[in-house]
Amino acid sequence: MTGVYWAARDLDGPPWGNHQFLLIFLDENQSLQRTNTQTVNGQKFATLGGHQVGGKLVLIANQTADVRSVEEVLDPSTVSRWSDFDLEKHKITPPSGGDWSFAVEVERLAYNYHRNATATPIDYALANENCSAWVNTLLKVAGISESERVRLGEFRGIDWGEEDLLPETLFN
């Protein structure tokens, strides 16, 4: 199950819709350079996502609800009627190289965004500059084609901005 996935889960509060993020599954011998990994039932993973903090779109690695949504899939006994995030995931085919090198590149681009958005913050906007646009732009910079991003970004429920783009320079 190693690789990078475009993932979506139910929002953890109103308004109703999806929150989208990147999910990275790792082999037991792999780790990322800057992001701590989680382990559930022997499966290592990490999440990277654009989240609203103080009205700004910021990178949060392993955000609590993102991790919880993955835990519910890896260990269904953790699901309760109050915590079912209905995770969906679509595996991304790396444009070149293997899953491991692509995971490292995705992490690098996410932290480039963190550095650049700290210097030049992006205002969060539900319909445009949001988590979905964050994932879409990172994957564009990583070399994923538009047609593939359109396919990967379609999930059940309400999605906003999955085909929108942020300034690409934020990820360089």
Side-chain angles (χ1 to χ4, degrees):
M1 188 169 11
T2 61
V4 179
Y5 294 76
W6 190 333
R9 63 165 172 82
D10 293 343
L11 289 175
D12 48 346
W16 289 269
N18 291 333
H19 166 70
Q20 297 184 10
F21 60 100
L22 293 166
L23 169 59
I24 301 171
F25 284 118
L26 303 163
D27 284 338
E28 62 184 42
N29 299 326
Q30 296 172 331
S31 60
L32 296 171
Q33 295 178 2
R34 298 184 65 177
T35 309
N36 292 327
T37 57
Q38 314 293 308
T39 303
V40 175
N41 283 341
Q43 178 62 63
K44 286 175 61 173
F45 70 94
T47 68
L48 299 167
H51 292 266
Q52 176 182 223
V53 176
K56 303 299 180 189
L57 182 59
V58 301
L59 165 67
I60 299 180
N62 296 318
Q63 188 266 355
T64 302
D66 292 351
V67 169
R68 180 83 177 125
S69 71
V70 179
E71 289 172 340
E72 290 177 353
V73 170
L74 296 176
D75 183 2
S77 71
T78 64
V79 176
S80 74
R81 66 185 193 121
W82 299 108
S83 70
D84 186 4
F85 284 113
D86 293 325
L87 176 75
E88 288 183 76
K89 61 188 183 334
H90 301 148
K91 188 164 197 276
I92 301 165
T93 301
S96 61
D99 286 335
W100 170 242
S101 61
F102 186 61
V104 169
E105 175 66 1
V106 163
E107 182 192 38
R108 184 184 72 77
L109 294 172
Y111 282 93
N112 284 350
Y113 176 87
H114 174 71
R115 181 191 68 240
N116 293 327
T118 299
T120 310
I122 295 293
D123 290 332
Y124 177 91
L126 181 62
N128 297 311
E129 289 78 24
N130 61 20
C131 58
S132 304
W134 186 90
V135 172
N136 188 37
T137 309
L138 186 149
L139 293 177
K140 180 179 183 188
V141 174
I144 304 300
S145 72
E146 180 178 9
S147 61
E148 187 68 358
R149 293 190 328 271
V150 167
R151 186 185 70 76
L152 291 166
E154 290 301 318
F155 295 96
R156 292 185 309 261
I158 300 169
D159 298 315
W160 292 291
E162 73 273 12
E163 294 172 10
D164 291 342
L165 293 168
L166 303 171
E168 293 176 37
T169 56
L170 290 168
F171 295 89
N172 292 319

